[in-house]
Amino acid sequence: MILKKMILDNFRQFQGQQEINFNTSTPSITIIYGTNGRGKTGIFRALIFCLFGEKSLAQDENINIKDINLVNTQALEKSDGKPVVAMVATTLVHENKTYEIIRKIRGLKEGSEIFEEGFELTLVKTDEQGNTAPPIKDKTTINEIIGNIFDPKIKDYFLFDGEKIERLTRADVQQKKTVAQGIKNLLNINDLENAINGMKSLLNNLNAQLKIHSQGKFAQVLNAIATTNKSMEDNQIKQETVSAQLDAAEKELRKYDGELDKINEIKHVITQRKALLAQEADLIETQSSRIDLLRSKLTGTAASLLMPIIVKVYSQLDTKKQTGEIPVQSKLDLIDKILKDHRCICGTTVMEGSCEYGLILKWKNRIVDSGLSDNALNLWRDLNAIIKETPGTIDSVHKALIDYDKNQIDVTQIHEQLKKISDQIDDSAEEKAKGFNQSRDKVNKDIGSYKNQVRVLEQEYQTLESKKVELTRQKEKLQEEEGIKDELHACAALATDTNEALNNIFNSFTEDIKKQLSDLASSAMKRLLDEEGKWSLKRIVVKNDYSLQVHDHRDEPFLANISAGQRQIVSLCFITALAQVATGKDRFEIPLFMDTPFGRLSLEHRENLIGFIPQICQQWIIMVTDTELTEKEWNFFRKVNCNCTFYKLSPLADGTTKVENIPVDEALTSIQAH
Amino acid sequence: MPETNKKIADKLEYYPKNVQMLATYAIEQAKRINAAALSQLLEQETKKLVRKDMAK
C-alpha cells in the first residue's frame, strides 16, 4: 500500500482546504517540517482519523477524549454558533487499485464548549483500468475494505509517534503490555487464546463432575486438583489486580515526571533567581557596612567643612607656640623665688621698684593665667590632629560614597532582573516541584511494593503449577491402579491432552516470534548504533515476560546502563522488526509514518537511521521539528538514494497553519531560515 | 501476515488424532463464541470423540 494524497479541510490547525501529495516513488521519503505546535501531529492524527475513525493517539493517554477537538477552532469561532464540518480525504494505492477515503466530522461551539460528532464516511474505488465504482457509504463495508488493506491490529507498527517510541524504552507494565499485544496481534492468535480459555473451562467442568462421581483417595486427589486450580485462578486475578494498580501507579509517576520536566525547563531561571537574590543580599549587607563607615567618619567629615578656619587658628597658635608663648616655658614658683630672693638665676640683683623687677612682675602676671595656656595648647593639639587626619577621612568618605553609589546601581539592576524573572515564572514553581517530588516518591514506593507483590504472586503461581503437575501424575496413577476408565475420565484425559497441545502451540508461536523479533531488532541495532554502541551492545532480547532487554558484549543484561539515545534506538529497532515480521518481508510494503522520531538521538544515530529506514521500507513519511532537521540532517537525507518531497508547515497570523510544498532544491534555504 | 491456521495444523500433526480433532474444533468455534459457550460445545464434542473411540 502506498499513500498518495491527503486533503485536510478545517481539520485541527489547518483552516480551509489544504493538500499534501506524498512522494509515491519506491523507495521514497516525504518530509513534513515544522516547529512545535504547527500541526505535525495533526497530520498524523488526520491519517488515523481518516482510516480508522479514531480521535486519540498514544500520546493522549492523560487527556480526556472529550477535550480532543478535530474541527478547526478559528472556523468554529467565525461560524456564529453554526456547525462546521472538518474533513480528511486520504487517497491510497493498493494492488494497483486506488482508494479514496473521505471522513467528515461536524463540530459546534456553544459558549466555551465544543461538541463534535462524526457523521459521514465515503469510499471511492478505482480499478487498474481507471473505472470508478459508485461511492460506498456503508461504514461496516468501508471498515472491512480498509481492514483488508491495512489491518487495524498492526497499524501501530507503521504509524507511530515519539510517545510510542518513548514508551517502549520504559521497563514497566505498559511496555510489557505493548510488546505482548504486538506479538499476539502479529501472530493473529486471538482464536487460539480463546480456544485455550474454552478448553480450560471444559477441564474445570469435567473435573467437577469427576469429583461428584469419585470416592476415597482418588476423590482427595481430585479435590486437591480443584483447590489448586482455584488457587491458580485466584492468583491470576490477584496478579491482574496488582498489575492494574502497578500500571496506574506508573502512569501517575509519568504524570509527575511530566510536570517536573515542565518545571525543569524553567529550572535555570529559578537557579538564576536564587543567585540574584543571594547577590542582592550581599550587596545590601555591603551597603549597610558602608553606611556604618560613613556614620563613623561623620565628625571628621564635618571638620573638613571648617578646614580653612581650623588651619588659620592652628597657624596662629603654632606661631605662639614657636615663640614660646604657649605653653609658658618657666615655672611660677621659680619667678616667685626670684622676686623673693631679689636675685635672678643669672646672678643679677633684682631690687623691688627696679625696671627688671617690674618686667618680672609683669611676666608673672601673664603666667598666672596658666589654665588659659593649657587650653590653648590642647586646642593646638586637637587642631593639629584634625588637620592631620582630615585628608584621610575625606578620601575614605569619598571612596565609600563612590562605592555606595556603584553598589546602588547594581542593586537596581538586580531588582529589574528579578522583576523580569518574576514575570516569567510562577513564584510557587519550587513549591510545586517539591510537592510533585513528594507525590512522586510516594508513587515510586507504591510501584516498588506492587512489583514485589507481583514477584511473590508469580512465585506462588509457579509453586501451584508444580503442585498441579504432581497431583495430575498421582491422579493418572490412581486411575490406572483403580482401573477407572469410564467415559468421564477419558473425556478429562482428552481435554487435558488437547489443552496441553494448544498451550504448547501457543508457547511455540510466541517463542518463534520472540526469536524472530530479537534477531531482526538486533540486526537493525547493529546498523543504527555508533561505533562505541556496536562494540558494547550485542543484541536485543524479548524476554519471557515480554519485556525488552539489551545484552552487552559479554551477553549480560545491560538495559539499565544504556543512554536515553540508545534506548530510543532500541525502541526503533524493535518497532521496525515488528513491521518487518508483520509483512513477512525484508522491505515492508506499507508506509512507515513517523512523528518526531529523532528527539534523543545523537547526530551519528540520526545519520544511521536516515540511511537505514529507506532500505527496509518503501515509503517513509517523517515529521520533524526545526531542532530535529538542521543542515546536517538534511545532508544525510540528500545522501540517501531515494526520491524526496519536502513540505513545510508555516504559521499564519491568525494562529492557523499553512501547508507549503517546497521544491527540494530550496528546502535547505527554508531550513536555514530557522 | 503469517498463515497462522496452517502453522497450527502443522504443529498439531505431532499429536494423537483425537487431540488434533478436538483442538481444531476448539479453534474453529472460538472464532465466533466466547469461552463459556465454547466450553459446552467442547464437552459435547469431547464426549462424541471418546464414545467413538470406546466403541472401537
Side-chain angles (χ1 to χ4, degrees):
Chain A
M1 187 263 267
I2 293 280
L3 274 176
K4 203 173 167 188
K5 186 166 77 174
M6 186 191 273
I7 299 173
L8 307 163
D9 190 8
N10 281 334
F11 187 87
R12 299 283 287 184
Q13 291 97 324
F14 307 97
Q15 200 179 353
Q17 202 170 91
Q18 308 204 42
E19 191 173 312
I20 298 172
N21 288 291
F22 299 104
N23 195 314
T24 53
S25 314
T26 51
S28 70
I29 304 174
T30 302
I31 298 172
I32 299 168
Y33 172 77
T35 50
N36 286 332
R38 286 281 57 83
K40 292 184 298 301
T41 308
I43 289 171
F44 184 67
R45 205 182 281 276
L47 185 70
I48 295 288
F49 167 71
C50 185
L51 295 184
F52 306 108
E54 292 174 11
K55 280 181 90 174
S56 61
L57 304 175
Q59 61 181 235
D60 303 325
E61 76 173 5
N62 293 323
I63 303 173
N64 188 332
I65 196 159
K66 284 182 184 168
D67 296 331
I68 301 169
N69 298 315
L70 302 185
V71 182
N72 180 266
T73 45
Q74 276 83 351
L76 280 171
E77 293 288 344
K78 290 177 191 167
S79 70
D80 291 331
K82 288 177 191 156
V84 173
V85 173
M87 184 238 10
V88 180
T90 304
T91 307
L92 53 92
V93 180
H94 180 62
E95 293 175 349
N96 297 325
K97 296 176 190 72
T98 303
Y99 299 81
E100 189 186 13
I101 302 142
I102 305 154
R103 199 182 286 265
K104 293 180 182 175
I105 187 165
R106 186 164 39 199
L108 181 69
K109 190 167 192 289
E110 278 184 6
S112 60
E113 284 202 78
I114 294 172
F115 303 93
E116 288 185 342
E117 57 169 5
F119 81 102
E120 201 178 294
L121 177 62
T122 311
L123 185 141
V124 181
K125 184 179 167 186
T126 307
D127 65 19
E128 48 266 72
Q129 280 83 38
N131 302 316
T132 301
I136 303 168
K137 296 271 184 187
D138 178 59
K139 280 185 186 173
T140 314
T141 313
I142 294 174
N143 288 337
E144 257 177 41
I145 294 171
I146 296 171
N148 286 333
I149 299 170
F150 199 162
D151 189 338
K153 280 189 291 188
I154 61 162
K155 72 175 191 299
D156 288 349
Y157 317 125
F158 302 95
L159 312 172
F160 59 92
D161 52 39
E163 173 65 23
K164 204 176 286 169
I165 303 169
E166 164 68 22
R167 178 178 292 174
L168 274 171
T169 64
R170 298 181 200 136
D172 61 12
V173 173
Q174 195 63 42
Q175 182 228 39
K176 289 179 197 172
K177 272 187 186 168
T178 311
V179 177
Q181 198 53 49
I183 290 173
K184 284 175 190 169
N185 286 347
L186 279 182
L187 288 167
N188 200 12
I189 51 176
N190 293 350
D191 299 341
L192 185 58
E193 254 194 314
N194 290 344
I196 290 170
N197 288 333
M199 198 56 75
K200 207 194 274 178
S201 177
L202 168 67
L203 260 175
N204 287 341
N205 286 346
L206 290 171
N207 282 330
Q209 288 176 45
L210 271 173
K211 194 178 152 191
I212 295 164
H213 292 99
S214 303
Q215 298 288 327
K217 198 176 174 186
F218 191 74
Q220 282 174 12
V221 174
L222 286 180
N223 203 19
I225 291 175
T227 311
T228 310
N229 278 337
K230 177 79 177 58
S231 301
M232 286 169 82
E233 278 171 21
D234 289 348
N235 179 293
Q236 290 282 286
I237 292 167
K238 277 186 201 162
Q239 278 200 46
E240 277 168 23
T241 309
V242 178
S243 288
Q245 287 171 325
L246 179 57
D247 193 16
E250 281 169 341
K251 259 187 198 167
E252 206 177 338
L253 188 75
R254 286 198 293 278
K255 191 183 88 186
Y256 290 129
D257 283 344
E259 295 292 347
L260 284 167
D261 277 351
K262 280 184 210 159
I263 291 171
N264 272 338
E265 282 170 16
I266 56 163
K267 205 172 177 179
H268 69 283
V269 184
I270 295 174
T271 313
Q272 196 189 350
R273 180 168 69 175
K274 266 188 188 168
L276 285 170
L277 283 170
Q279 211 181 328
E280 185 192 33
D282 283 350
L283 284 172
I284 288 171
E285 200 182 323
T286 311
Q287 292 296 70
S288 174
S289 62
R290 288 213 172 97
I291 287 172
D292 288 344
L293 175 74
L294 287 169
R295 202 171 278 144
S296 70
K297 302 280 182 187
L298 196 60
T299 317
T301 316
S304 71
L305 297 172
L306 300 169
M307 194 50 71
I309 298 167
I310 290 169
V311 170
K312 193 176 167 190
V313 173
Y314 174 77
S315 301
Q316 285 171 3
L317 286 171
D318 197 47
T319 310
K320 284 183 185 289
K321 190 171 171 290
Q322 296 295 329
T323 56
E325 289 179 51
I326 50 166
V328 179
Q329 298 294 323
S330 317
K331 298 277 183 190
L332 189 61
D333 51 355
L334 176 68
I335 299 171
D336 282 341
K337 193 173 179 298
I338 294 168
L339 292 174
K340 189 182 168 191
D341 295 347
H342 297 109
R343 185 175 293 276
C344 184
I345 49 171
C346 62
T348 311
T349 306
V350 183
M351 293 307 292
E352 228 176 286
S354 67
C355 178
E356 289 79 7
Y357 191 91
L359 283 170
I360 291 170
L361 200 60
K362 200 176 168 186
W363 184 25
K364 183 193 168 186
N365 288 339
R366 207 169 62 215
I367 290 168
V368 167
D369 196 2
S370 61
L372 198 63
S373 171
D374 287 345
N375 283 340
L377 191 60
N378 284 340
L379 182 61
W380 175 84
R381 280 199 194 98
D382 287 346
L383 293 177
N384 189 336
I386 288 168
I387 288 167
K388 276 184 183 162
E389 280 175 20
T390 301
T393 306
I394 298 281
D395 288 347
S396 63
V397 166
H398 186 244
K399 188 175 176 303
L401 282 171
I402 288 170
D403 289 346
Y404 185 87
D405 197 34
K406 194 168 158 281
N407 257 18
Q408 202 53 39
I409 292 168
D410 290 345
V411 169
T412 313
Q413 280 174 351
I414 286 170
H415 272 148
E416 280 169 11
Q417 285 179 39
L418 280 169
K419 191 176 172 305
K420 271 185 201 163
I421 288 171
S422 295
D423 292 344
Q424 272 179 49
I425 58 167
D426 187 350
D427 274 346
S428 59
E430 283 171 86
E431 278 303 308
K432 277 184 190 166
K434 202 191 276 177
F436 286 139
N437 264 324
Q438 281 169 353
S439 306
R440 194 190 178 283
D441 287 348
K442 189 188 166 300
V443 173
N444 214 12
K445 269 186 198 166
D446 291 346
I447 287 173
S449 156
Y450 293 141
K451 280 185 176 167
N452 199 32
Q453 286 179 50
V454 169
R455 208 166 26 247
V456 170
L457 285 166
E458 281 172 352
Q459 282 167 358
E460 269 178 24
Y461 192 82
Q462 279 176 5
T463 312
L464 287 166
E465 263 186 336
S466 309
K467 191 178 168 187
K468 192 181 161 186
V469 169
E470 174 55 23
L471 285 167
T472 309
R473 198 190 58 75
Q474 282 180 32
K475 188 187 95 175
E476 282 165 1
K477 199 176 163 201
L478 284 169
Q479 270 178 299
E480 264 179 48
E481 282 170 3
E482 295 176 20
I484 305 166
K485 286 183 180 175
D486 61 4
E487 186 184 296
L488 214 47
H489 287 133
C491 284
L494 176 57
T496 306
D497 290 347
T498 311
N499 188 43
E500 199 182 309
L502 290 173
N503 272 312
N504 286 344
I505 290 169
F506 184 87
N507 291 337
S508 145
F509 265 136
T510 49
E511 283 314 308
D512 283 354
I513 210 87
K514 278 182 199 168
K515 189 174 178 315
Q516 269 191 63
L517 288 170
S518 293
D519 290 348
L520 283 166
S522 302
S523 152
M525 185 174 77
K526 286 285 170 200
R527 306 274 296 276
L528 293 182
L529 283 174
D530 54 22
E531 286 307 315
E532 186 271 330
K534 275 179 197 162
W535 179 83
S536 59
L537 303 179
K538 188 177 176 187
R539 63 194 179 108
I540 296 172
V541 178
V542 182
K543 287 166 62 186
N544 286 339
D545 66 353
Y546 293 105
S547 60
L548 292 181
Q549 182 55 269
V550 178
H551 282 205
D552 66 6
H553 63 285
R554 294 165 300 168
D555 218 15
E556 295 288 331
F558 200 66
L559 185 66
N561 307 308
I562 66 174
S563 68
Q566 287 174 328
R567 273 174 190 270
Q568 197 166 357
I569 288 286
V570 169
S571 293
L572 285 164
C573 291
F574 184 69
I575 287 168
T576 50
L578 279 171
Q580 281 175 287
V581 173
T583 54
K585 294 182 179 175
D586 286 343
R587 174 178 276 177
F588 41 91
E589 294 167 346
I590 295 178
L592 189 58
F593 213 99
M594 285 184 174
D595 184 5
T596 54
F598 292 158
R600 297 181 174 180
L601 299 187
S602 67
L603 198 63
E604 190 176 347
H605 285 152
R606 289 177 187 198
E607 181 177 15
N608 292 347
L609 185 70
I610 292 166
F612 174 68
I613 298 290
Q615 291 177 27
I616 58 162
C617 131
Q618 61 180 10
Q619 189 184 26
W620 187 18
I621 298 161
I622 179 167
M623 289 167 299
V624 282
T625 63
D626 51 336
T627 53
E628 287 182 297
L629 181 62
T630 64
E631 189 178 343
K632 286 176 184 162
E633 285 85 3
W634 176 249
N635 288 333
F636 299 152
F637 276 112
R638 298 299 289 152
K639 272 198 275 178
V640 177
N641 187 25
C642 70
N643 285 307
C644 188
T645 297
F646 189 88
Y647 276 92
K648 184 182 172 187
L649 304 180
S650 306
L652 295 176
D654 59 357
T656 58
T657 296
K658 187 181 166 197
V659 182
E660 286 180 284
N661 178 223
I662 310 280
V664 170
D665 295 342
E666 294 168 24
L668 183 59
T669 316
S670 195
I671 293 164
Q672 284 168 335
H674 274 286
Chain B
M1 185 65 66
E3 295 166 13
T4 310
N5 287 343
K6 168 89 173 61
K7 285 187 179 174
I8 291 174
D10 289 347
K11 286 177 192 284
L12 272 173
E13 269 188 18
Y14 299 96
Y15 292 91
K17 201 75 191 164
N18 271 357
V19 170
Q20 282 183 41
M21 290 167 79
L22 185 58
T24 311
Y25 179 80
I27 294 165
E28 277 305 307
Q29 296 304 319
K31 285 178 185 166
R32 57 180 192 90
I33 49 174
N34 63 30
L38 179 63
S39 169
Q40 288 181 355
L41 277 183
L42 288 177
E43 189 168 344
Q44 289 166 20
E45 186 67 12
T46 311
K47 281 181 179 166
K48 205 165 85 184
L49 287 167
V50 164
R51 278 173 196 160
K52 209 194 253 179
D53 232 16
M54 287 174 118
K56 281 180 188 169

